[in-house]
């Protein structure tokens, strides 16, 4: 039987035998570029019967998980960019109404990327509708859309929401008032005031409120005024808040305990201690005093922000009122804990509370799980997990069993201190609780991120937690998706990464989508990532994200220069050319220079292999003569890039661009074509640069009769008065002569350089 061992294998065996420190390895015995054995597939199974019953179906990518109502709007955006025919107006109006109705029903946040599609659709319908058609939507539809915009993702100055709301309001006003002479509904005006106040246009909201107060909004009470007050508070304009309170009282709306509590709570939400103190002590109309709810919120703010001294009078007033509500007593226990009382002292206070309640006939008032959870939450905020565990034990001592909220708090502080096993125990207990009131999504997300950071990560446990999130339809946070993506990518699970991003990335904001894209991009351009994994990961970016020109250039440069794969780099360039992105001169220069780098690196490595073969016949990097190893078609790659440049009227040829063309064509073995661009540079208005001269002389090394061109360039260069020839130019000219085999003239140039420069660098 013929042996499968080739002479290549025997050479390795002999060579390794001569080196005791270099044992024989199977990898070195395998051919580098060709498999020894090709598997043979049988077309017929035994007895001519094809049993394919156990064949597993090939895995397919999951479709994008997004609202189908947005598809026509995306088509419209693409059509407007390309200048093609947009979808029918009726189809766009139906899609708009379907999306708005779904978001209004679920009250889910509208991401900024979706808002852009809504605004684009509105503007298109406005610009193309006929008189009286009202964008192709009814007044009720536009009113619902205006009210739905309040669910948009909050940003301080979200212009997209503000512009869309104004556009809808003006059309509603046009249809009702201008065409039919009807009055505007207070709900439409209030919706616009709420949006303006929330998204950084509180002054416009107040002007609108004054305009429509009489006759439209007067029956709405203090609701619109509260929107304006909260807007000015968010914009950090305390003078405007005071001024609005005065205007409100002039219009007959009193500054009562409701308005007082709303302002105080909003500043509590903003964590503005100075304003909380100011407005809590602000006098109210008639004999009103702060409500119990306002006092409790203020005291809770003092506990969280450590303003106990300022809140002491409020706390004493609460004690003097002899509270009998569970929320008040819970806050009293938290206040004591914040003042430094230990767990044992809190337990004695609970006994006193029970005895006092029984004396007042409120025997049902006892510490509950809300009491324990409040104390645990306070300990968490102080970074004291030991005390938090003691409070949980105190509740169990009193017969108060933990609920879902307790386990969520346990997960919080155990993850924070790195006790991931304890967090998993709390999660196991949480699964047996009713999660209608509490959602474990944030804690499970944090646990997944922490587990992914372990070395090595517990893959099965992480996937189990991710499945739990999927099963409960909880939201995957952006940091969780990033951690899972990197976990899958490092394991070579490209399809799982694609399905993960495709399923959840659609519901993220632009900022979160950019963070996910940047994480995958960092993995692609990481030098430690294999080329195959990097290419598959880059395909995920192309298929899911709307890549900018900067990201595409980073990908292209990575494959051209870092991985020296001209085929992949050229494909990324062609994909960018076919997209909606307009390529610039910088894009072409980066592609051409990257292609030149790949070509030079390839031919340089081949030359090194030939040299290594001459001194070491047993080196495993030497290409086998039997191997059909053809060089990459660099001339085809550069032709593809150059052809796109020829039909791109937006890019004017410049010296820098022609330099890149010369460099790429020279590296691809077409130096004669490169010198044609040198001729164009010579006759251009911009003229050559030093880089042009160096690149042209390099092309002369391999061009047919290149010495003639080199001599002509050198003669014109020496004929320029007042120009000091750089050392690089001397070296380039000598290399051009040497490349053509004219050694004697090259040595003469070296001696001339020694006379001019005072020294000769023979390393050139």
């Amino acid at each position: 039987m013929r042996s499968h061992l080739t002479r290549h294998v025997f050479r390795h065996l002999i060579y390794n035998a001569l080196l005791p420190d270099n044992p024989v390895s199977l990898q070195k015995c395998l051919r580098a570029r060709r498999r020894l054995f090709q598997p043979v597939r049988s077309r017929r199974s035994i007895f001519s019967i094809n049993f394919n019953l156990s064949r597993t179906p090939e895995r397919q990518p999951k479709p994008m998980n997004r609202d189908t109502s947005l598809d026509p709007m995306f088509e419209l955006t693409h059509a407007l960019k390309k200048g093609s025919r947009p979808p029918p107006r009726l189809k766009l109006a139906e899609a708009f109404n379907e999306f708005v109705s779904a978001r209004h029903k679920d009250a889910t946040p509208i991401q900024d990327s979706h808002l852009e599609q809504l605004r684009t659709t509105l503007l298109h319908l406005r610009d193309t509708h006929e008189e009286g058609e009202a964008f192709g939507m009814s007044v009720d539809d536009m009113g619902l859309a205006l009210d739905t915009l309040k669910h948009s993702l909050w940003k301080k100055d979200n212009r997209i929401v503000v512009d869309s709301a104004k556009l809808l309001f003006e059309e509603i006003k046009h249809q009702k008032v201008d065409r039919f002479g009807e009055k505007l509904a207070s709900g439409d005006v209030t919706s616009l005031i709420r949006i303006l106040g929330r998204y950084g246009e509180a002054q416009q909201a107040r002007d609108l409120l004054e305009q429509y107060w009489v006759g439209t909004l007067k029956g709405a009470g203090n609701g619109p005024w509260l929107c304006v007050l909260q807007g000015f508070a968010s914009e950090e304009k305390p003078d405007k808040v005071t001024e609005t309170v005065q205007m409100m009282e002039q219009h007959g709306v009193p500054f009562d305990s409701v308005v007082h509590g709303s302002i105080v709570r909003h500043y509590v939400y903003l964590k503005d201690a100075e304003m909380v103190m100011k407005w809590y002590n602000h006098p109210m109309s008639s004999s009103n005093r702060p409500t119990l709810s306002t006092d409790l919120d203020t005291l809770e703010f003092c506990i969280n922000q450590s303003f106990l001294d300022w809140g002491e009078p409020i706390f004493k007033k609460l004690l003097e009122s002899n509270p009998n509500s569970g929320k008040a007593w819970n806050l009293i226990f938290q206040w004591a804990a914040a003042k430094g009382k230990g767990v044992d002292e809190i337990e004695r206070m609970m006994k006193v509370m029970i005895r006092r309640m029984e004396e007042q006939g409120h025997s049902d008032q006892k510490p509950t799980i809300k009491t324990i959870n409040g104390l645990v939450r306070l300990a968490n905020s102080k970074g004291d997990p030991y005390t938090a565990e003691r409070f949980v034990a105190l509740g169990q001592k009193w017969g108060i069993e933990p609920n879902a909220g307790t386990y969520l708090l346990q997960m919080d502080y155990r993850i924070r201190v790195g006790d991931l096993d304890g967090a998993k125990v709390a999660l196991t207990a949480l699964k047996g609780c009713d999660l209608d009131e509490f959602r474990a999504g944030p804690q499970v997300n944090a646990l997944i991120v922490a587990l992914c950071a372990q070395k090595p990560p517990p893959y099965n446990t992480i996937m189990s937690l991710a499945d739990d999130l999927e099963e409960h339809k909880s939201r995957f946070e952006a940091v969780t998706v990033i951690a899972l993506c990197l976990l899958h990518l490092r394991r070579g699970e490209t399809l799982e990464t694609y399905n993960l991003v495709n399923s959840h990335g659609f519901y993220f904001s632009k900022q979160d989508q950019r963070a996910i894209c940047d994480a995958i991009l960092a993995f692609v351009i990481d030098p430690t990532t294999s080329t195959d994994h990097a290419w598959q990961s880059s395909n995920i970016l192309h298929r899911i994200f709307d890549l900018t020109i900067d990201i595409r250039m980073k990908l292209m440069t990575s494959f051209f220069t870092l991985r020296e794969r001209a085929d992949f780099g050229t494909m990324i360039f062609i994909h960018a050319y076919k997209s909606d992105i307009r390529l610039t001169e910088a894009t072409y220069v980066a592609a051409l220079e990257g292609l030149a780098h790949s070509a030079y690196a390839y031919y340089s490595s081949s030359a090194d292999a030939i040299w290594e073969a001459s001194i070491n016949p047993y080196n495993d990097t030497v290409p086998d003569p039997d191997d059909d190893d053809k060089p990459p078609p660099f001339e085809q790659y550069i032709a593809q890039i150059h052809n796109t440049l020829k039909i791109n009227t937006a890019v004017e040829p410049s010296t820098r661009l022609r330099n890149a063309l010369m460099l790429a064509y020279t590296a691809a073995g077409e130096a004669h074509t490169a010198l044609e661009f040198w001729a164009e540079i010579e006759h251009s208005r911009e003229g050559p640069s030093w880089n042009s001269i160096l690149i042209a002389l390099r092309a002369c090394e391999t061009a047919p009769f290149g010495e003639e061109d080199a001599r002509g360039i050198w003669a014109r260069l020496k004929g320029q008065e007042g120009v000091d020839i750089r050392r690089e130019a001397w070296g380039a000219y000598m290399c051009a002569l040497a490349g053509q085999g004219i050694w004697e003239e090259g040595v003469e140039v070296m001696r001339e350089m020694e006379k001019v420069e005072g020294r000769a660098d023979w390393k050139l």
Side-chain angles (χ1 to χ4, degrees), residues 313-454:
I314 305 176
F315 180 73
K316 291 181 178 179
K317 183 177 61 175
L318 176 65
L319 292 178
E320 293 172 358
S321 64
N322 196 13
N324 55 13
S325 67
K327 184 177 180 180
W329 275 105
N330 293 343
L331 192 65
I332 291 173
F333 296 142
Q334 294 176 33
W335 185 274
K339 296 284 284 186
K341 301 293 185 181
V343 178
D344 297 334
E345 294 174 290
I346 298 296
E347 183 180 11
R348 286 193 290 270
M349 291 179 62
M350 290 180 178
K351 295 178 180 179
V352 173
M353 167 243 184
I354 293 175
R355 185 171 62 253
R356 183 177 299 181
M357 289 296 101
E358 290 177 350
E359 293 174 355
Q360 297 178 1
H362 300 287
S363 57
D364 57 334
Q365 288 291 345
K366 295 181 180 180
T368 63
I369 190 59
K370 291 184 178 180
T371 308
I372 301 300
N373 288 346
L375 293 169
V376 173
R377 189 177 298 107
L378 176 63
N380 280 359
S381 65
K382 304 299 182 182
D384 189 356
Y386 174 72
T387 303
E389 290 286 3
R390 290 195 62 192
F391 280 130
V392 174
L394 175 62
Q396 293 175 333
K397 178 181 178 181
W398 282 61
I400 304 173
E401 293 299 326
N403 66 353
T406 312
Y407 295 127
L408 291 175
L409 291 170
Q410 283 185 326
M411 290 182 65
D412 278 334
Y413 63 74
R414 288 176 179 177
I415 292 173
R416 190 178 298 115
V417 299
D419 182 14
L420 302 185
D421 292 335
K424 288 186 284 186
V425 171
L427 178 61
T428 302
L430 179 65
K431 293 180 180 179
C433 299
D434 184 12
L435 295 182
D436 291 339
E437 183 179 358
F438 301 97
R439 302 300 299 269
Q443 287 76 14
V444 177
N445 275 275
L447 181 56
I448 290 176
V449 174
L451 290 173
C452 288
Q454 288 187 333

Side-chain angles (χ1 to χ4, degrees), residues 4 96 103 168 193 210 237 265 401 505 581 678 709:
H4 291 291
F96 184 92
R103 289 308 172 92
L168 288 168
I193 291 174
E210 288 188 285
K237 297 179 179 179
R265 275 189 291 273
E401 293 299 326
I581 297 176
W678 164 251
D709 295 295

Side-chain angles (χ1 to χ4, degrees), residues 286-329:
S286 66
S287 58
N288 287 334
R289 60 175 303 277
T291 62
L292 177 62
S293 176
T294 305
D295 287 342
L296 296 179
D297 291 338
T298 305
L299 288 175
E300 186 175 1
F301 172 78
C302 293
I303 292 173
N304 295 331
Q305 301 298 320
S306 300
F307 289 109
L308 302 179
D309 294 338
W310 179 82
E312 191 68 33
I314 305 176
F315 180 73
K316 291 181 178 179
K317 183 177 61 175
L318 176 65
L319 292 178
E320 293 172 358
S321 64
N322 196 13
N324 55 13
S325 67
K327 184 177 180 180
W329 275 105

